Amino acid sequence: MRLSPVLRAGALVAALALAVTACGGKSQQAAAGGDSLVDRAKAANKLTIGIKFDQPGIGLKTGDSYTGFDIDVADYVAKKMGVDPKNITFKQAPSAQREDLIAQGDVDLVIASYTINDNRKQKVSFAGPYFVAGQDLLVKADNTAITGPDSLNGKKLCSVSGSTSAQTVKTKWANDVSLQQYGGYSECITGLLNGTIDAITTDNIILQGYASQPANVGKLKVVGKTFTSEPYGIGFKKGDTKTQQALDSYIQNMEQDGSWAAALKKNFGADFKVPDQPAITEK
Ligand code: GLU
């Protein structure tokens, strides 16, 4: 077939676009059809969700299986979106990469102990909150010097880059403490156990997850004086209001039908005091 130069150029562009779509292997955001993730996910019956891989109780990868409260939330909302949880591809979403993973279309949703705040809302949209945590401190079980945020002067703290926890330390105690930042909280645990750092700081339920690990029982303790409010949201591409409204209603369903309380007890222990359900706030 003979094509004019203009048509030939057009055909080349179309072929390239097809090739990019075909080999992209990207999340639903990059797939064709529909403006809103809820529509595209339902049509394709698949979702790519960013979670934590190293936070017991919240998001943990063990071999090929994924467990934690965030995974239960992911499974629940996926089902409501018309996606079989078996068709979820979980990707690791370290704290510092969550906005970029969403913006670049590498994941459809981030459900990863992800605090809703104004800074992040400039780049991504949130549904929720589906839980409200608070920043706390994890120390060695025999530590009597650190009793709360007022006893950190001169101490060595560990937290994670790109987290609100590290940001709080930098904002409040820049001159009083030395802050070691890693890519994930599990990396801080080694330092705490071998004494190179004095405390780990992040959300109370993350810290409780580490303290409850069989290997750490009796060795570590959560101080138990929270000093921030960390409302966890589900992050997705900025401006997708249809997805936001849908996810907000699915979170409410999860709270109302008992699955939410059941997921909290399953992941944090039968004794976990299920808090009041967080109100879905204006976003
Ligand atoms: N919730 C806080 C945040 O989103 C700390 C936990 C985390 O790093 O995932 O930054």
Side-chain angles (χ1 to χ4, degrees), residues 155-224:
K155 301 291 186 230
K156 291 190 208 110
L157 254 58
C158 190
S159 198
V160 161
S161 324
S163 67
T164 53
S165 327
Q167 194 52 49
T168 302
V169 174
K170 286 186 256 180
T171 310
K172 289 193 175 169
W173 304 297
N175 302 320
D176 309 327
V177 306
S178 89
L179 177 66
Q180 168 77 58
Q181 292 181 80
Y182 287 118
Y185 299 101
S186 53
E187 294 166 60
C188 292
I189 294 286
T190 319
L192 183 59
L193 288 170
N194 70 24
T196 53
I197 59 146
D198 300 307
I200 302 176
T201 185
T202 188
D203 304 338
N204 49 356
I205 53 162
I206 299 175
L207 298 175
Q208 194 52 57
Y210 291 118
S212 311
Q213 287 290 90
N216 297 333
V217 171
K219 292 186 190 159
L220 303 175
K221 68 176 179 197
V222 180
V223 169

Side-chain angles (χ1 to χ4, degrees), residues 60-125:
L60 187 69
K61 182 176 194 278
T62 317
D64 288 336
S65 74
Y66 302 93
T67 51
F69 180 57
D70 281 343
I71 283 67
D72 291 338
V73 172
D75 286 351
Y76 188 96
V77 298
K79 249 186 246 168
K80 289 277 177 189
M81 289 170 87
V83 174
D84 187 331
K86 285 203 287 289
N87 297 338
I88 300 173
T89 304
F90 287 115
K91 276 195 181 173
Q92 188 169 24
S95 299
Q97 293 173 30
R98 293 174 290 198
E99 289 84 47
D100 284 348
L101 287 170
I102 293 170
Q104 291 161 5
D106 292 324
V107 298
D108 297 311
L109 302 174
V110 165
I111 309 181
S113 55
Y114 198 12
T115 296
I116 303 170
N117 68 22
D118 287 344
N119 206 12
R120 292 171 178 168
K121 275 196 270 180
Q122 290 175 10
K123 297 178 188 157
V124 301
S125 288

